[in-house]
Amino acid sequence: MYNLFDWPNRPNSKLVVIAIANTMDLPERMLMNKVASRLGLTRMTFQPYSHKQLLEIINSRLGGTAAFAPEACMLAARKVAAASGDARRALDICRHAIDIAEQEDAGTVTSLHIQRAITNMYQSAKTKAIINCTLYQKIFLKSVLGVFRRKGVEEAVFKEVYEVFCSLCQFQGIFCPPCGAMLHLCMELGSCRILLVEQGPPTLHTHIRLNCAQDDVVFALKEGSS
């Protein structure tokens, strides 16, 4: 890895290395410092796919077949765009919907099959735990997602999350618990393995990560509020 990323820096080198990752902080989190130091400082952030773009991707994979009802494709695209914009998740939902339709000997995949596929894919233990979280726990998780999306990374510091949390509480017109109480709540979410919380005494600078996919959290929060 070190030699590969160092190659473009050598005299008269004609090699250009373009690395693509789902997170902005992948070099810092996953690569040794020696390897990460060989990477260039230019980073480009690509926005998640919109529902129109996801719909185009799904239709291109279908290749003009009539296996899916148009509203089924649109539902899959809109559901994923609202959560993460991840094209892989949209295609996974469609594949799972096909399996459900085949089990029922249905000739066409409908919106009902898509909805059942989404429900089945999000029925993990963590998803159910998030659905059953308290109001403040759900607001805290929303705050974590907000920080992740604003920074383009999948790790946050408690202080950043608490600032967003206070803003959400104010927006909803509810009492904002003090910092110490929320630190305790953060550790509770960590003990449930919904969050990955940095070891050691909890402080304003404690690092926090999700222990599941972001779109799983988004789905669970929406289900829990319905």
mmCIF file of all heavy atoms in Angstrom, residues 160-180:
data_model
loop_
_atom_site.group_PDB
_atom_site.id
_atom_site.type_symbol
_atom_site.label_atom_id
_atom_site.label_comp_id
_atom_site.label_asym_id
_atom_site.label_seq_id
_atom_site.Cartn_x
_atom_site.Cartn_y
_atom_site.Cartn_z
ATOM 1 N N GLU A 160 -19.921 18.200 19.945
ATOM 2 C CA GLU A 160 -20.592 18.562 18.700
ATOM 3 C C GLU A 160 -22.018 18.014 18.672
ATOM 4 O O GLU A 160 -22.962 18.708 18.271
ATOM 5 C CB GLU A 160 -19.818 18.003 17.510
ATOM 6 C CG GLU A 160 -18.387 18.501 17.384
ATOM 7 C CD GLU A 160 -17.604 17.751 16.338
ATOM 8 O OE1 GLU A 160 -17.840 16.525 16.189
ATOM 9 O OE2 GLU A 160 -16.763 18.366 15.672
ATOM 10 N N VAL A 161 -22.164 16.773 19.108
ATOM 11 C CA VAL A 161 -23.479 16.138 19.102
ATOM 12 C C VAL A 161 -24.406 16.846 20.095
ATOM 13 O O VAL A 161 -25.592 17.085 19.797
ATOM 14 C CB VAL A 161 -23.358 14.640 19.448
ATOM 15 C CG1 VAL A 161 -24.736 13.985 19.515
ATOM 16 C CG2 VAL A 161 -22.481 13.927 18.424
ATOM 17 N N TYR A 162 -23.884 17.204 21.247
ATOM 18 C CA TYR A 162 -24.721 17.852 22.269
ATOM 19 C C TYR A 162 -25.206 19.219 21.793
ATOM 20 O O TYR A 162 -26.348 19.621 22.084
ATOM 21 C CB TYR A 162 -23.948 17.988 23.573
ATOM 22 C CG TYR A 162 -24.777 18.577 24.700
ATOM 23 C CD1 TYR A 162 -25.879 17.899 25.215
ATOM 24 C CD2 TYR A 162 -24.460 19.821 25.241
ATOM 25 C CE1 TYR A 162 -26.644 18.427 26.237
ATOM 26 C CE2 TYR A 162 -25.221 20.367 26.268
ATOM 27 C CZ TYR A 162 -26.308 19.669 26.763
ATOM 28 O OH TYR A 162 -27.066 20.210 27.778
ATOM 29 N N GLU A 163 -24.391 19.931 21.050
ATOM 30 C CA GLU A 163 -24.813 21.233 20.521
ATOM 31 C C GLU A 163 -25.982 21.070 19.557
ATOM 32 O O GLU A 163 -26.948 21.840 19.603
ATOM 33 C CB GLU A 163 -23.631 21.917 19.821
ATOM 34 C CG GLU A 163 -22.553 22.391 20.782
ATOM 35 C CD GLU A 163 -21.315 22.913 20.058
ATOM 36 O OE1 GLU A 163 -21.255 22.762 18.821
ATOM 37 O OE2 GLU A 163 -20.411 23.445 20.736
ATOM 38 N N VAL A 164 -25.902 20.074 18.680
ATOM 39 C CA VAL A 164 -27.011 19.806 17.756
ATOM 40 C C VAL A 164 -28.232 19.330 18.536
ATOM 41 O O VAL A 164 -29.372 19.719 18.242
ATOM 42 C CB VAL A 164 -26.596 18.762 16.701
ATOM 43 C CG1 VAL A 164 -27.773 18.410 15.793
ATOM 44 C CG2 VAL A 164 -25.426 19.269 15.874
ATOM 45 N N PHE A 165 -28.008 18.506 19.564
ATOM 46 C CA PHE A 165 -29.093 17.996 20.400
ATOM 47 C C PHE A 165 -29.867 19.146 21.039
ATOM 48 O O PHE A 165 -31.107 19.155 21.037
ATOM 49 C CB PHE A 165 -28.517 17.072 21.474
ATOM 50 C CG PHE A 165 -29.508 16.586 22.481
ATOM 51 C CD1 PHE A 165 -30.301 15.476 22.226
ATOM 52 C CD2 PHE A 165 -29.668 17.237 23.699
ATOM 53 C CE1 PHE A 165 -31.228 15.022 23.155
ATOM 54 C CE2 PHE A 165 -30.582 16.795 24.630
ATOM 55 C CZ PHE A 165 -31.372 15.686 24.357
ATOM 56 N N CYS A 166 -29.148 20.115 21.577
ATOM 57 C CA CYS A 166 -29.804 21.265 22.220
ATOM 58 C C CYS A 166 -30.650 22.043 21.210
ATOM 59 O O CYS A 166 -31.757 22.492 21.521
ATOM 60 C CB CYS A 166 -28.761 22.182 22.852
ATOM 61 S SG CYS A 166 -27.911 21.469 24.279
ATOM 62 N N SER A 167 -30.131 22.174 19.993
ATOM 63 C CA SER A 167 -30.877 22.886 18.951
ATOM 64 C C SER A 167 -32.157 22.150 18.585
ATOM 65 O O SER A 167 -33.209 22.772 18.394
ATOM 66 C CB SER A 167 -29.998 23.065 17.700
ATOM 67 O OG SER A 167 -28.840 23.832 17.984
ATOM 68 N N LEU A 168 -32.078 20.815 18.494
ATOM 69 C CA LEU A 168 -33.270 20.025 18.168
ATOM 70 C C LEU A 168 -34.311 20.100 19.284
ATOM 71 O O LEU A 168 -35.516 20.191 19.020
ATOM 72 C CB LEU A 168 -32.878 18.572 17.896
ATOM 73 C CG LEU A 168 -32.099 18.300 16.608
ATOM 74 C CD1 LEU A 168 -31.731 16.828 16.503
ATOM 75 C CD2 LEU A 168 -32.912 18.719 15.391
ATOM 76 N N CYS A 169 -33.845 20.065 20.529
ATOM 77 C CA CYS A 169 -34.778 20.184 21.664
ATOM 78 C C CYS A 169 -35.475 21.538 21.638
ATOM 79 O O CYS A 169 -36.692 21.641 21.865
ATOM 80 C CB CYS A 169 -34.040 20.004 22.985
ATOM 81 S SG CYS A 169 -33.542 18.306 23.328
ATOM 82 N N GLN A 170 -34.715 22.584 21.359
ATOM 83 C CA GLN A 170 -35.295 23.927 21.286
ATOM 84 C C GLN A 170 -36.301 24.011 20.151
ATOM 85 O O GLN A 170 -37.377 24.603 20.304
ATOM 86 C CB GLN A 170 -34.185 24.957 21.096
ATOM 87 C CG GLN A 170 -34.680 26.400 21.085
ATOM 88 C CD GLN A 170 -33.540 27.396 20.920
ATOM 89 O OE1 GLN A 170 -32.400 27.011 20.688
ATOM 90 N NE2 GLN A 170 -33.844 28.675 21.045
ATOM 91 N N PHE A 171 -35.958 23.396 19.007
ATOM 92 C CA PHE A 171 -36.863 23.413 17.858
ATOM 93 C C PHE A 171 -38.171 22.693 18.169
ATOM 94 O O PHE A 171 -39.247 23.124 17.734
ATOM 95 C CB PHE A 171 -36.170 22.760 16.658
ATOM 96 C CG PHE A 171 -37.027 22.675 15.432
ATOM 97 C CD1 PHE A 171 -37.239 23.793 14.636
ATOM 98 C CD2 PHE A 171 -37.629 21.480 15.069
ATOM 99 C CE1 PHE A 171 -38.037 23.718 13.503
ATOM 100 C CE2 PHE A 171 -38.432 21.398 13.937
ATOM 101 C CZ PHE A 171 -38.627 22.524 13.146
ATOM 102 N N GLN A 172 -38.076 21.590 18.931
ATOM 103 C CA GLN A 172 -39.273 20.819 19.264
ATOM 104 C C GLN A 172 -40.002 21.372 20.484
ATOM 105 O O GLN A 172 -41.063 20.862 20.847
ATOM 106 C CB GLN A 172 -38.896 19.352 19.501
ATOM 107 C CG GLN A 172 -38.355 18.658 18.254
ATOM 108 C CD GLN A 172 -38.139 17.164 18.451
ATOM 109 O OE1 GLN A 172 -38.819 16.532 19.248
ATOM 110 N NE2 GLN A 172 -37.189 16.596 17.716
ATOM 111 N N GLY A 173 -39.418 22.376 21.123
ATOM 112 C CA GLY A 173 -40.064 23.004 22.267
ATOM 113 C C GLY A 173 -40.089 22.143 23.511
ATOM 114 O O GLY A 173 -41.045 22.195 24.287
ATOM 115 N N ILE A 174 -39.032 21.334 23.711
ATOM 116 C CA ILE A 174 -38.966 20.481 24.896
ATOM 117 C C ILE A 174 -37.729 20.835 25.714
ATOM 118 O O ILE A 174 -36.784 21.457 25.211
ATOM 119 C CB ILE A 174 -38.946 18.982 24.519
ATOM 120 C CG1 ILE A 174 -37.715 18.657 23.655
ATOM 121 C CG2 ILE A 174 -40.217 18.592 23.798
ATOM 122 C CD1 ILE A 174 -37.578 17.188 23.312
ATOM 123 N N PHE A 175 -37.734 20.442 26.965
ATOM 124 C CA PHE A 175 -36.630 20.726 27.875
ATOM 125 C C PHE A 175 -35.358 20.032 27.399
ATOM 126 O O PHE A 175 -35.385 18.867 26.990
ATOM 127 C CB PHE A 175 -36.988 20.248 29.279
ATOM 128 C CG PHE A 175 -35.831 20.278 30.251
ATOM 129 C CD1 PHE A 175 -35.358 21.482 30.750
ATOM 130 C CD2 PHE A 175 -35.224 19.099 30.657
ATOM 131 C CE1 PHE A 175 -34.296 21.512 31.636
ATOM 132 C CE2 PHE A 175 -34.164 19.112 31.540
ATOM 133 C CZ PHE A 175 -33.699 20.328 32.027
ATOM 134 N N CYS A 176 -34.243 20.743 27.442
ATOM 135 C CA CYS A 176 -32.950 20.166 27.065
ATOM 136 C C CYS A 176 -32.211 19.739 28.327
ATOM 137 O O CYS A 176 -31.839 20.595 29.141
ATOM 138 C CB CYS A 176 -32.124 21.182 26.280
ATOM 139 S SG CYS A 176 -30.510 20.534 25.767
ATOM 140 N N PRO A 177 -31.988 18.450 28.525
ATOM 141 C CA PRO A 177 -31.273 17.976 29.716
ATOM 142 C C PRO A 177 -29.855 18.529 29.767
ATOM 143 O O PRO A 177 -29.263 18.840 28.731
ATOM 144 C CB PRO A 177 -31.268 16.450 29.549
ATOM 145 C CG PRO A 177 -32.375 16.154 28.587
ATOM 146 C CD PRO A 177 -32.426 17.330 27.666
ATOM 147 N N PRO A 178 -29.294 18.661 30.962
ATOM 148 C CA PRO A 178 -27.925 19.166 31.091
ATOM 149 C C PRO A 178 -26.910 18.212 30.475
ATOM 150 O O PRO A 178 -27.202 17.040 30.212
ATOM 151 C CB PRO A 178 -27.737 19.300 32.604
ATOM 152 C CG PRO A 178 -28.727 18.359 33.198
ATOM 153 C CD PRO A 178 -29.905 18.362 32.268
ATOM 154 N N CYS A 179 -25.724 18.732 30.274
ATOM 155 C CA CYS A 179 -24.661 17.989 29.597
ATOM 156 C C CYS A 179 -24.341 16.666 30.303
ATOM 157 O O CYS A 179 -24.169 15.630 29.671
ATOM 158 C CB CYS A 179 -23.415 18.863 29.506
ATOM 159 S SG CYS A 179 -22.041 18.104 28.622
ATOM 160 N N GLY A 180 -24.275 16.701 31.646
ATOM 161 C CA GLY A 180 -23.935 15.493 32.392
ATOM 162 C C GLY A 180 -24.939 14.381 32.182
ATOM 163 O O GLY A 180 -24.572 13.202 32.044
#
